[in-house]
Amino acid sequence: MPDFDSQPVISVRDFSFAIGGKDVLRQVSFCVQRGEYVSLVGPNGAGKTTLLKCLDRIHRGGSGEMTVCGRPLADYAQRELARHVSYVPQPDGRVPPFTVEQFVLLGRYPYLSPFSVIRREDRAAVRAAMQQTGTEGFASRLLQTLSGGERQQVYIAAALAQGAPILLLDEPAAFLDYRHQTEIRRLLRAVNRQQGVTVVAVTHDVNTAALDSDRVVALNAGQMVFCGTGAELMRPEVLQRIYDTSFLLVPHPETQLPTIVPGT
């Protein structure tokens, strides 16, 4: 369970960020507790991916405050930050020319220098991450020979091999079939609940966000418009405010949580 009595591992306070002179994030404020699973939802262009990239300092700058493990984000060297935060980007079709094992080993970069020898603990971390994600059978295969779902599992394996206690994911199940979506969901829940890894994941699947998360943060036009539990999210008036459209909700057959179904 999340440790709500401890200092937040991520704190965002009045954070704003612009790209090309256009405000993408405006006065965003929220916290993430250690061991919490938080989903970021909202319409296209809401600023979700930008927020993740700011947290991993792919995007630099902005105004306001971001802290990780109690320290200002700007105080971290990038390699040091990578020991605290790992990031799985949204699939974009580009496939690195590596075998699966080589790619997962790249996740150990925060602990290696260009001239260092790969240590026994690095190999062990890679094996453990591949076993956990079910990718050890692909070890010698090139990434380009895998399906999209298999590659996504490999990308998550590399992030787990990194050994960071905070995992940021941008649409981890995007473009995947139902089986692979389910496998990714189960994997992330296990990482969060069994290993205590803090998960912050962008998703367009509101049902998944409500079912899997401790809390959900919603953005619209760069502003935070909701922060609460899945049950609090799945109310017609709340969803209307986030997405500017109406929704049809029915009780989930197992949890009774309201879930979105297609209208006629």
Side-chain angles (χ1 to χ4, degrees):
M1 292 294 293
D3 185 354
F4 292 107
D5 295 327
S6 66
Q7 184 181 53
V9 293
I10 293 174
S11 177
V12 179
R13 297 182 181 177
D14 297 323
F15 186 77
S16 299
F17 187 80
I19 297 177
K22 179 182 178 181
D23 290 334
V24 180
L25 297 170
R26 294 182 289 168
Q27 301 290 302
V28 175
S29 297
F30 68 98
C31 293
V32 180
Q33 301 294 331
R34 178 162 54 92
E36 196 173 15
Y37 192 128
V38 173
S39 289
L40 299 177
V41 303
N44 292 333
K48 305 180 297 296
T49 293
T50 298
L51 179 58
L52 278 197
K53 288 183 175 181
C54 288
L55 284 169
D56 197 46
R57 221 165 53 190
I58 296 169
H59 290 329
R60 295 172 181 255
S63 61
E65 180 182 77
M66 282 187 167
T67 66
V68 171
C69 298
R71 290 176 55 190
L73 194 59
D75 287 359
Y76 285 95
Q78 197 63 28
R79 187 179 293 267
E80 183 185 14
L81 179 64
R83 297 185 181 188
H84 294 274
V85 179
S86 57
Y87 173 65
V88 180
Q90 185 176 131
D92 62 3
R94 293 179 293 182
V95 182
F98 298 114
T99 68
V100 168
E101 187 172 20
Q102 288 170 338
F103 185 81
V104 177
L105 185 58
L106 291 176
R108 299 298 296 169
Y109 83 92
Y111 313 96
L112 300 171
S113 69
F115 305 105
S116 64
V117 176
I118 298 171
R119 303 162 301 171
R120 181 179 300 175
E121 54 262 45
D122 298 315
R123 295 289 186 190
V126 168
R127 284 196 301 273
M130 292 175 65
Q131 288 171 357
Q132 185 174 7
T133 55
T135 56
E136 67 271 27
F138 310 144
S140 61
R141 288 178 57 180
L142 290 170
L143 285 171
Q144 64 190 24
T145 69
L146 303 181
S147 70
E150 290 167 343
R151 277 199 299 271
Q152 195 65 2
Q153 289 172 288
V154 172
Y155 297 156
I156 294 174
L160 296 179
Q162 193 171 321
I166 302 169
L167 179 57
L168 309 179
L169 305 106
D170 192 0
E171 288 287 350
F175 314 121
L176 301 185
D177 60 41
Y178 287 112
R179 180 174 71 84
H180 283 102
Q181 287 180 33
T182 299
E183 290 176 354
I184 295 296
R185 285 183 63 200
R186 287 174 178 167
L187 172 59
L188 294 180
R189 288 200 302 263
V191 166
N192 173 247
R193 297 171 186 177
Q194 298 173 17
Q195 296 181 226
V197 174
T198 303
V199 174
V200 180
V202 168
T203 181
H204 278 292
D205 188 335
V206 179
N207 288 335
T208 293
L211 289 166
D212 293 350
S213 310
D214 295 303
R215 282 188 303 133
V216 180
V217 172
L219 301 179
N220 187 320
Q223 293 182 298
M224 194 178 80
V225 293
F226 172 83
C227 180
T229 66
E232 292 168 336
L233 171 71
M234 302 303 272
R235 298 173 180 171
E237 67 276 12
V238 174
L239 294 169
Q240 173 80 38
R241 186 170 75 247
I242 297 170
Y243 290 98
D244 302 315
T245 190
S246 59
F247 289 84
L248 178 61
L249 302 174
V250 300
H252 189 281
E254 295 178 354
T255 67
Q256 299 305 304
L257 183 76
T259 52
I260 298 170
V261 296
T264 57

